[in-house]
């Protein structure tokens, strides 16, 4: 008897468990016609979170219609919710028979087309889509007796306004930068390019974060193959969360382990607008002010927006100066190590005697000296970035000065080595791109090791390997070193120098194959100067 009772109790528990599993709604199955069942499913799915507000109301004639208004506190525009949704439902249409307003439609369509005075309203039957919209800040309206709901777009949350970019500053040019809001960023681009061919495709990436991604390009300028490749790489991403555009960059870039970035990022709307006009594609990620631009070329990391805002002579001189600074920051310590270690005969006698006098008593070879100074400066640089802004810059300058002076006086480092490392560090700051500056900082140590091992021969081997590596890179199918390699003479107008804008008739050759003409004709581009005329009364 005890065995039978125990067995019957197990069967009863199993039957109750199966019954509860069959009754419990699955969010993936869609909405239920029962309002209470839908609300209970929401509570069970969201874990009764305190920021999810569920308001059950009655409206219509004599309050016969039961509804649920659900929104996320902190992500939803509460004044618009009260004034245009709750007030409309509970007061404005209190005595109106909604079924008579449009008998051929159901109540959901009547509310959408006749009653509610809000902007964007969408009907939805998928529970998963309802949850995503709710957690994005939209307001959800569910009606008793209907297996579909309304998604009302009234998102609003605390956000940073449009301010001046901090990472890419210019002397002359716009002072507005992107924010963490995707819709504000797309509006900044649309404000600069008022073209109906400016298309914006939206995707959602991240199984848990469900981050909104926007792909922006000009349809009749951008290459269709590159647009297709960008969409293909983004669609292949299967990850639980995307928190910044750097996550997207790491998942779609061509060469992961190369020190050179094959995707350009910027926080300036004018840079994105100029890139779109050249045929590039922008990838905007919700939650970050940094926009990705593809394809990215080597020469692009030396271009600054003010090159095109200043006079042509100034822009060209500054562009050339950046290339000179790039060479100095990459090779200056290596050349000094090679000369002082292997090739002393190349120096003039007076300079050789001066260097020998400075290095007298220094216990380390030139490579160890340079390594100590470079590592010390890198530590000071990172410390200055992480420290509060009010003391970060002062600490970096004072720290470098104090440590350099103390090291020379203590006889650990020669004075010439301090000068070389200082010039190298200053030249590294000339680069307008942070990614290119990081690549140079990494390669600098490689060239120092080659110079300490093989002298000028090691430096030449390193340069050949570097050039071969750069020529082998591709960015979404475009050669990384174009228009230098492969060489294109028509695209040299904006490579090492900047020619006047009226000279740039065509768009970049490899970047665009559809619509290469930027200007209709070049004859009227530069007006002729007015002739000097004598006054009629003069003799």
């Amino acid at each position: 008897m005890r065995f039978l009772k125990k067995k019957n109790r197990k069967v009863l528990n199993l039957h109750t468990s199966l019954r509860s599993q069959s009754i419990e709604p699955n969010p993936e199955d869609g909405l239920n016609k029962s309002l209470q069942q839908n609300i209970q499913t929401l509570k069970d799915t969201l874990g009764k979170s305190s920021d999810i507000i569920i308001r059950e109301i009655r409206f219509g004639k004599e309050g016969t219609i039961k509804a649920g208004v659900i929104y996320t506190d902190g992500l939803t525009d509460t004044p618009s919710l009260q004034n245009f949704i709750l007030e409309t439902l509970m007061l404005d249409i209190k005595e109106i028979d909604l079924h008579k307003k449009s008998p051929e439609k159901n109540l959901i369509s009547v509310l959408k087309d006749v009653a509610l005075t809000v902007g964007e309203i969408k009907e939805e039957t998928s529970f998963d889509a309802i949850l995503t919209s709710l957690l994005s800040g939209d307001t959800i309206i569910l009606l008793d007796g209907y297996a579909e709901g309304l998604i009302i777009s009234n998102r609003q949350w605390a956000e940073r306004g449009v301010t001046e970019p901090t990472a890419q500053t210019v002397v002359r040019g716009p002072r507005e930068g992107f924010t963490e809001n995707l819709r504000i960023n797309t509006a900044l681009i649309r404000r600069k390019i008022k073209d109906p061919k400016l298309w914006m495709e939206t995707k959602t990436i991240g199984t848990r974060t469900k981050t909104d991604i926007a792909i922006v390009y000009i349809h009749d300028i951008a290459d269709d193959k590159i647009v297709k490749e960008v969409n293909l790489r983004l669609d292949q991403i299967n990850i639980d969360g995307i928190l910044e555009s750097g996550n997207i960059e790491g998942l779609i870039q061509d060469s992961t382990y190369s020190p050179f970035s094959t995707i350009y990022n910027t926080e300036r709307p004018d840079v994105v607008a100029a890139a779109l006009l050249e045929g590039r594609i922008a990838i905007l990620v919700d939650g970050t002010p940094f926009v990705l631009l593809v394809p990215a070329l080597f020469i692009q990391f030396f271009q600054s927006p003010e090159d095109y805002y200043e006079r042509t002579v100034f822009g060209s001189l500054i562009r050339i100066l950046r290339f000179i600074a790039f060479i100095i920051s990459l090779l200056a310590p290596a050349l000094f190590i090679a000369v002082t270690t292997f090739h002393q005969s190349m120096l003039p006698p007076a300079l050789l005697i001066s260097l020998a006098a400075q290095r007298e008593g220094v216990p380390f070879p030139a490579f160890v000296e340079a390594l100590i100074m470079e590592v010390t400066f890198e530590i000071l640089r990172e410390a200055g970035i992480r420290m509060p802004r009010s003391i970060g810059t002062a600490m970096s300058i004072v720290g470098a000065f104090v440590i350099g002076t103390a090291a020379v006086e203590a006889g650990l480092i020669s004075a010439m080595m301090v000068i070389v490392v200082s010039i190298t560090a200053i030249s590294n700051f000339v680069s307008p791109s942070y990614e290119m500056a990081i690549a140079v900082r990494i390669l600098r140590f490689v060239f120092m090791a080659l110079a300490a091992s093989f002298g000028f021969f090691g430096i030449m081997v390193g340069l050949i390997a570097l050039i071969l590596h750069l020529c082998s890179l591709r960015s979404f199918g475009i050669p990384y070193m174009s228009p230098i390699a492969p060489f294109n003479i028509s695209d040299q107008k904006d490579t090492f120098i900047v020619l006047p804008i009226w000279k740039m008739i065509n768009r970049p050759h490899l970047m665009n194959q559809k619509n290469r003409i930027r200007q209709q004709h070049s004859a009227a581009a530069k007006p002729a100067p007015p002739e000097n005329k004598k006054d009629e009364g003069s003799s």
Side-chain angles (χ1 to χ4, degrees):
M1 290 294 294
R2 291 181 179 177
F3 175 76
L4 291 176
K5 289 182 179 180
K6 191 173 183 181
K7 184 176 181 180
N8 291 337
R9 191 180 300 112
K10 289 182 178 181
V11 172
L12 180 62
N13 292 337
L14 179 61
H15 176 72
T16 304
S17 175
L18 292 174
R19 183 181 177 185
S20 63
Q21 291 179 6
S22 62
I23 293 176
E24 183 180 358
N26 186 2
E28 298 181 357
D29 294 338
L31 291 173
N32 195 289
K33 287 189 176 183
S34 172
L35 175 63
Q36 294 300 326
Q37 188 67 60
N38 289 331
I39 292 178
Q40 186 61 40
T41 305
L42 274 172
K43 290 181 179 179
D44 295 341
T45 305
L46 298 172
K48 298 180 181 179
S49 301
S50 58
D51 61 334
I52 305 299
I53 309 301
I54 301 176
R55 174 80 184 275
E56 298 184 43
I57 62 173
R58 290 178 176 268
F59 65 94
K61 192 172 184 179
E62 297 179 357
T64 57
I65 303 172
K66 293 192 298 183
V69 180
I70 307 103
Y71 64 95
T72 304
D73 189 20
L75 297 180
T76 303
D77 186 5
T78 307
S80 69
L81 170 67
Q82 296 174 350
N83 298 330
F84 301 108
I85 299 177
L86 293 177
E87 185 175 338
T88 300
L89 293 176
M90 302 178 68
L91 297 178
D92 296 345
I93 60 175
K94 185 177 182 180
E95 301 299 330
I96 299 177
D97 191 352
L98 294 175
H99 293 284
K100 293 182 179 180
K101 297 291 290 183
S102 184
E104 70 279 1
K105 297 183 178 181
N106 60 24
L107 187 56
I108 293 287
S109 299
V110 172
L111 287 177
K112 175 184 175 184
D113 300 335
V114 178
L116 293 175
T117 60
V118 289
E120 182 182 353
I121 304 178
K122 181 173 63 175
E123 299 181 31
E124 186 59 62
T125 59
S126 170
F127 211 104
D128 186 63
I130 292 285
L131 284 173
T132 302
S133 299
L134 173 64
L135 298 176
S136 299
D138 295 333
T139 298
I140 310 299
I141 296 181
L142 303 176
L143 298 181
D144 193 25
Y146 292 87
E148 57 183 336
L150 290 177
I151 299 177
I152 301 175
S153 180
N154 61 336
R155 307 176 185 181
Q156 187 182 45
W157 51 79
E159 59 189 10
R160 181 174 62 92
V162 178
T163 57
E164 182 177 356
T166 56
Q168 297 174 337
T169 58
V170 295
V171 177
R172 179 178 180 178
R175 293 293 189 267
E176 57 185 9
F178 289 117
T179 69
E180 287 74 15
N181 190 309
L182 177 63
R183 193 50 59 208
I184 292 179
N185 293 342
T186 57
L188 289 173
I189 298 175
R190 183 75 71 178
R191 178 185 173 190
K192 291 187 176 296
I193 304 178
K194 305 175 182 66
D195 187 355
K197 294 297 183 179
L198 178 64
W199 290 8
M200 299 183 181
E201 303 177 9
T202 303
K203 297 179 181 293
T204 301
I205 301 180
T207 57
R208 295 189 181 274
T209 59
K210 292 181 173 59
T211 307
D212 292 329
I213 309 293
I215 304 172
V216 184
Y217 60 95
I218 301 179
H219 177 62
D220 58 346
I221 296 180
D223 192 345
D224 294 335
K225 294 181 180 179
I226 301 179
V227 175
K228 184 179 179 180
E229 180 67 21
V230 171
N231 280 281
L232 179 62
R233 296 189 187 187
L234 291 176
D235 291 338
Q236 290 177 347
I237 296 177
N238 186 10
I239 193 172
D240 60 346
I242 296 294
L243 302 178
E244 213 270 343
S245 58
N247 301 140
I248 296 290
E249 180 179 355
L251 292 169
I252 67 173
Q253 63 184 350
D254 289 79
S255 182
T256 303
Y257 299 104
S258 174
F260 297 96
S261 177
T262 54
I263 298 179
Y264 189 81
N265 69 80
T266 179
E267 55 178 342
R268 298 186 61 88
D270 56 335
V271 174
V272 173
L276 293 175
L277 292 172
E278 289 183 347
R280 288 184 170 88
I281 302 166
I283 303 174
L284 284 72
V285 181
D286 190 26
T288 175
F290 289 92
V291 175
L292 305 180
L293 291 174
V294 295
L297 306 180
F298 177 77
I299 190 65
Q300 186 178 358
F301 293 90
F302 294 89
Q303 296 172 345
S304 177
E306 62 183 343
D307 294 349
Y308 312 97
Y309 305 149
E310 297 283 359
R311 296 181 60 190
T312 303
V313 177
F314 298 156
S316 299
L317 290 176
I318 294 174
R319 179 78 60 84
I320 295 173
L321 180 63
R322 294 194 193 106
F323 282 101
I324 295 175
F326 169 77
I327 296 173
I328 292 175
S329 60
L330 180 65
L331 298 178
L335 291 174
F336 182 78
I337 292 171
V339 168
T340 55
T341 305
F342 295 99
H343 312 284
Q344 298 92 344
S345 59
M346 296 182 62
L347 296 176
L351 180 59
L352 181 60
I353 294 172
S354 176
L355 290 177
Q358 293 178 21
R359 292 189 52 78
E360 185 179 0
V362 176
F364 304 113
F367 173 70
V368 177
E369 279 188 86
L371 191 64
I372 292 174
M373 290 301 298
E374 287 289 346
V375 172
T376 303
F377 190 84
E378 294 295 333
I379 293 174
L380 288 173
R381 188 205 307 257
E382 289 300 316
I385 294 175
R386 311 303 169 196
M387 293 186 68
R389 293 185 178 181
S390 57
I391 61 174
T393 305
M395 193 280 298
S396 300
I397 297 174
V398 174
F401 177 76
V402 171
I403 292 177
T405 304
V408 173
E409 292 180 354
L412 299 177
I413 305 295
S414 63
M416 191 62 188
M417 181 62 71
V418 175
I419 295 174
V420 171
V421 172
S422 301
I423 294 176
T424 303
I426 295 173
S427 300
N428 194 243
F429 286 116
V430 176
S431 175
S433 172
Y434 184 68
E435 286 73 22
M436 184 59 67
I438 291 179
V440 172
R441 288 161 62 182
I442 296 172
L443 294 174
R444 187 187 304 147
F445 289 96
V446 176
F447 278 96
M448 286 166 52
L450 291 173
S453 302
F454 307 103
F456 281 161
F457 178 75
I459 295 176
M460 292 303 300
V461 171
L463 286 175
I464 294 173
L466 177 61
I467 294 173
L468 291 176
H469 173 69
L470 288 173
C471 293
S472 67
L473 291 178
R474 294 290 187 274
S475 178
F476 288 80
I478 304 299
Y480 192 62
M481 290 300 292
S482 61
I484 304 173
F487 184 78
N488 190 319
I489 191 170
S490 63
D491 289 346
Q492 301 303 316
K493 301 173 182 178
D494 190 21
T495 304
F496 297 104
I497 60 174
V498 184
L499 292 186
I501 193 170
W502 52 269
K503 286 277 191 180
M504 300 181 188
I505 303 173
N506 298 328
R507 294 184 175 90
H509 175 67
L510 292 176
M511 198 71 59
N512 182 273
Q513 306 293 339
K514 294 167 60 176
N515 184 358
R516 294 198 59 207
I517 306 299
R518 301 183 63 130
Q519 303 180 41
Q520 294 299 324
H521 48 80
S522 59
K526 183 181 179 183
E531 297 180 358
N532 296 326
K533 296 182 179 180
K534 296 182 179 181
D535 297 334
E536 295 181 357
S538 61
S539 58

